Amino acid sequence: MKAGSSLKIRVASDGDWTNIYQLIEDNMLQMQLELNLDWKRDSIVSHYQSKSVLVAELGQQVVGFIAFHLSENVLYIDSLQVVKTLQNRLLGYRLIKAMLGYLSAKQDIVSIRCCVFENNPAQKQYFAAGFKQLQRKDGILTLEADLESLLSKLGLIYIVTQFTQTTTADTPTAI
């Protein structure tokens, strides 16, 4: 991260969507085209606008985001994107941590699922964190991790427990 700049993670606002889309395009377009999958800007934006989204901001610049939704007792990470210059510097970890804190009141979460392109180098990080492959279809891997195991592996059990005990607001503006 840049010296002197502070990272802020907050709920996405309407004004963030141009930056969110650009980040998706910068990180995903080439991989998606390599797999011969369609790329439709409007569909992509409307898909993520229907999800809960937290953005990471450094200064006034959106440098990452995580889009997610909860269905029954499974938390789905719909997208986790970080600008290329900050990849492999724990920003993805911080976004996952913020998402878990944001959802900490929902204690019925049993597992976390996500999809990753088979040609995406980030899949190694998911496997290292304890995700297991459930399915491979059309170049997309569906991965899942047991929540307790993932929290333990990432060293987040204490953090999420503390957040649950000390937070009463449903929608924090910064994490």
Side-chain angles (χ1 to χ4, degrees):
M1 312 280 168
K2 297 175 185 173
S5 296
S6 77
L7 180 71
K8 178 180 173 184
I9 297 178
R10 60 174 175 74
V11 174
S13 67
D14 289 341
D16 292 322
W17 287 102
T18 299
N19 293 324
I20 290 170
Y21 174 77
Q22 189 60 55
L23 188 50
I24 295 168
E25 184 177 274
D26 290 347
N27 287 348
M28 306 300 291
L29 177 61
Q30 188 58 43
M31 283 185 278
Q32 194 154 336
L33 294 176
E34 287 173 8
L35 294 169
N36 296 316
L37 299 172
D38 289 338
W39 186 270
K40 297 178 182 169
R41 183 189 199 284
D42 292 340
S43 296
I44 292 167
V45 172
S46 66
H47 173 74
Y48 291 116
Q49 285 177 329
S50 71
K51 310 300 179 189
S52 297
V53 179
L54 300 176
V55 296
E57 206 174 48
L58 197 56
Q60 298 295 320
Q61 181 182 2
V62 172
V63 294
F65 78 91
I66 189 165
F68 54 94
H69 73 278
L70 189 60
S71 179
E72 296 181 18
N73 58 357
V74 178
L75 175 59
Y76 292 85
I77 299 174
D78 297 290
S79 190
L80 173 58
Q81 302 294 324
V82 174
V83 296
K84 291 180 181 186
T85 58
L86 295 177
Q87 290 176 0
N88 299 311
R89 297 182 67 193
L90 297 177
L91 184 51
Y93 168 83
R94 290 176 180 165
L95 283 161
I96 290 172
K97 178 180 167 184
M99 173 190 65
L100 293 169
Y102 180 81
L103 292 172
S104 63
K106 297 178 174 43
Q107 295 300 312
D108 58 341
I109 299 169
V110 174
S111 63
I112 298 179
R113 286 189 189 163
C114 66
C115 291
V116 63
F117 293 131
E118 66 184 18
N119 58 347
N120 186 339
Q123 69 173 285
K124 294 175 193 164
Q125 293 170 327
Y126 286 107
F127 288 127
F131 281 82
K132 307 247 185 289
Q133 182 177 319
L134 294 179
Q135 179 180 348
R136 177 187 300 255
K137 183 179 178 186
D138 299 328
I140 299 172
L141 307 178
T142 301
L143 309 177
E144 182 176 62
D146 170 76
L147 180 65
E148 293 285 327
S149 299
L150 182 65
L151 292 175
S152 177
K153 186 140 188 151
L154 296 178
L156 292 176
I157 288 199
Y158 175 77
I159 293 166
V160 173
T161 302
Q162 287 296 106
F163 191 91
T164 302
Q165 293 172 351
T166 61
T167 303
T168 57
D170 287 339
T171 309
T173 55
I175 298 173

